[in-house]
Amino acid sequence: MQLEITTPDDWHVHFRDGDALQYTVPATAKTFGRAIVMPNLVPPITTVTQAEAYRQRILAHAQGANFGSSTHLFEPLMTLYLTEQMASSEIAAAAASPHVFACKLYPAGATTNSANGVRDPANIYPLLEAMEKLDLPLLVHGEVTEQEVDIFDREAVFIDRHLAPIAKNFPGLRIVFEHITTAAAVDFVKESSNRIGATLTPQHLMHNRNDLLVGGIRPHLYCLPILKAANDQRALQQAAISGNPRFFLGTDSAPHARLTKEAACGCAGCYSAPTAIELYAEIFEQLGALDKLEGFASFFGADFYRLPRNITRLRLQRTSNIVPERAPFVGEDGIVPLHAGKTISWQQS
Ligand SMILES: [Zn+2]
């Protein structure tokens, strides 16, 4: 059996920088036409000039990326990292750039390389006003970081404390609630205006916190926001297959070398890029909704960002496919991809 869909896009990916790019960029470019590239490098990408230079470093590893029936050059869609020090003129420069497509709000300390993030979203309201006016989308890592808030409650608390007020104060601002993990987030998006969308990762669709913690801790399933309960997972699955165009594919593929995850204090992030579309196909098939995969993976994100849909095609074969235990990465230890060692039913051809 074969499945053919319009070439998908990944609306949330972490490529890292330097030596990592030779591994991370081809892993995404072999499948996806475009990807929203997250800006949380060290130091973060906070200017259009930095974003342009980062884009060139990415493109140097995307040459000849080949997918579907035709050869097509992968296109990285760059983003800026919002800080409380950023000037509104930088938002204007971003909106004018042909290569910058959004700005990302990281609450300070929320995830990998977010120390320079925003302490209080109210402090960047002038930037959000500029983004609303220039129609530049806001991408949000939606978790509060206050010590007293339980890690499993941080997304729901963020909605009440920050996201709902932002949506209300900036009714024209397009917002992507990234890598949502809870039924509360699904409900928030469904009940919002059509200017608010959300990305869904393969790990949050395939797993809940029992998979992370029961019978031993599995560091390669540790990501942020952390996996939630089974009822949350079911809500995410239903959103993904609902055909609602405001839920679309964003892997949040976030590489960390093996030993930085298999450690006493392991890093957060799942590296799904090498078999991302296969994992989504697996989930959609299990849910009896393969016919909904193309909209979710190839149409809805492009429509939300107001970009043309891809015109090339991607083919998947239904065949037994074992995800490798290890993939090459910076350093000798390699990297452990999401679903390593497990068998899935699809393979990109
Ligand atoms: Zn991310």
Side-chain angles (χ1 to χ4, degrees), residues 15-90:
F15 282 146
R16 313 301 187 206
D17 204 355
D19 290 342
L21 295 178
Q22 65 192 292
Y23 308 105
T24 57
V25 175
T28 291
K30 72 176 167 40
T31 301
F32 296 100
R34 296 165 290 201
I36 283 279
V37 179
M38 289 298 157
N40 58 330
L41 304 182
V42 186
I45 301 292
T46 57
T47 68
V48 172
T49 307
Q50 288 173 323
E52 296 280 3
Y54 185 31
R55 178 173 177 274
Q56 289 303 324
R57 298 197 293 280
I58 292 166
L59 283 176
H61 295 281
Q63 300 294 330
N66 184 353
F67 48 82
S69 52
S70 64
T71 301
H72 180 114
L73 195 59
F74 169 74
E75 190 185 357
L77 309 177
M78 308 312 291
T79 61
L80 297 191
Y81 182 114
L82 293 170
T83 73
E84 295 182 4
Q85 293 75 41
M86 186 183 276
S88 295
S89 57
E90 201 63 46

Side-chain angles (χ1 to χ4, degrees), residues 12 14 179 252:
H12 186 134
H14 299 268
H179 44 51
D252 195 19

Side-chain angles (χ1 to χ4, degrees), residues 32 65 68 102 127 137 171 176 192 198 235 262 272 292 294 307 325 338 343 347:
F32 296 100
L127 301 179
V176 183
S192 301
E262 297 174 13
S272 57
K292 296 290 202 302
E294 186 177 39
L307 293 169
E325 295 276 3
L338 183 65
T343 304
Q347 187 154 38

